[in-house]
Amino acid sequence: MTADPLPSLRVEYQRYRRLAELALEQVADADLCRALDPDGNSIAVLVRHLAGNLRSRFTDFLTSDGEKPWRQRDEEFAATTASRSELLAAWQAGWDAVDRALADVAAAGPDAGSRSVAIRGQPLSVLDALARSVAHVAYHTGQIVLLARTFQGPSWRSLSIPRGGSAAYAAHPTRERSPDGR
C-alpha cells in the first residue's frame, strides 16, 4: 500500500509559506518594493506573483484549468508601490485557495492524486500539479528570503541554522521541523 502524499505536500506548502512570512516580517516597508536592478523582481512583485499563481491554480482546482482567464500574470511582474497590507491580503487569498483545494483533494478520496487536472490546457495528474506548485513556491520563496536577507544585512535573523551554529543544532535538531512539528 502506498502512503498518502497529500499530508507531506501540505507540510511543504506550510514550510515555504512560513519561511516567506518570516522573511517578510524582517523587511522594512520601504524595501518591499525595492529591486536590486532594473530588470529584477522586488519582494512585492514576488509576493504578488505567487499570490496570483496560487489563486489561479487552486481556484476550482479539480474542475477548471489552472490558468484562469481573469489572471493578469504580466501585471504581477510590473513594478508596484503596493502597501504591506495589500500584499499580505493578496498573499492570504492565494493561500486560502491552496487550503480549499487541498481540502477538496482530500475529500475526493484516495484516488484523487491520479485524477487529471489542466494547466494552460496541458493535462497533469493532481499529484504532478501539486509537486510542480510546491517547487514553484519553493523557488520564489528562496528569492524572497535572499532579497530580505540582503536588505536586512547584519540585522538579519537566520531562518535556519545560523553560521557557526551547526554543533548547537546537531545537539537539539528542532529548527528544521515543519510548521506542524514533524
Side-chain angles (χ1 to χ4, degrees):
M1 181 173 193
T2 312
D4 179 6
L6 195 57
S8 293
L9 289 166
R10 186 184 307 273
V11 165
E12 289 307 301
Y13 276 118
Q14 291 169 347
R15 179 189 318 275
Y16 290 111
R17 177 183 182 177
R18 186 69 181 137
L19 280 173
E21 289 172 351
L22 288 169
L24 287 168
E25 287 174 7
Q26 294 189 55
V27 176
D29 289 354
D31 288 329
L32 289 172
C33 298
R34 180 177 159 200
L36 295 179
D37 63 67
D39 289 329
N41 292 324
S42 67
I43 291 172
V45 163
L46 293 166
V47 167
R48 285 183 358 162
H49 170 61
L50 270 176
N53 175 273
L54 294 173
R55 274 189 61 235
S56 182
R57 294 292 180 268
F58 291 106
T59 298
D60 303 322
F61 177 62
L62 295 173
T63 59
S64 69
D65 192 295
E67 188 64 21
K68 305 297 185 283
W70 44 258
R71 183 178 182 206
Q72 300 295 316
R73 184 182 181 280
D74 290 339
E75 288 180 19
E76 295 165 10
F77 289 98
T80 182
T81 58
S83 69
R84 181 180 296 270
S85 63
E86 291 168 325
L87 293 170
L88 292 177
W91 180 255
Q92 184 63 48
W95 287 105
D96 287 347
V98 172
D99 292 340
R100 283 190 302 274
L102 293 177
D104 290 347
V105 171
D111 295 329
S114 60
R115 284 177 62 172
S116 183
V117 294
I119 298 175
R120 295 187 187 108
Q122 301 301 307
L124 294 162
S125 73
V126 165
L127 287 179
D128 287 343
L130 292 173
R132 178 176 163 173
S133 174
V134 166
H136 184 246
V137 168
Y139 174 73
H140 289 306
T141 295
Q143 293 174 322
I144 290 168
V145 170
L146 179 64
L147 287 170
R149 184 170 189 225
T150 299
F151 298 150
Q152 283 307 102
S155 65
W156 175 255
R157 292 180 317 277
S158 178
L159 304 180
S160 64
I161 304 168
R163 287 180 190 234
S166 295
Y169 174 82
H172 303 286
T174 60
R175 299 265 330 251
E176 289 185 330
R177 287 188 180 162
S178 65
D180 69 355
R182 291 192 336 179

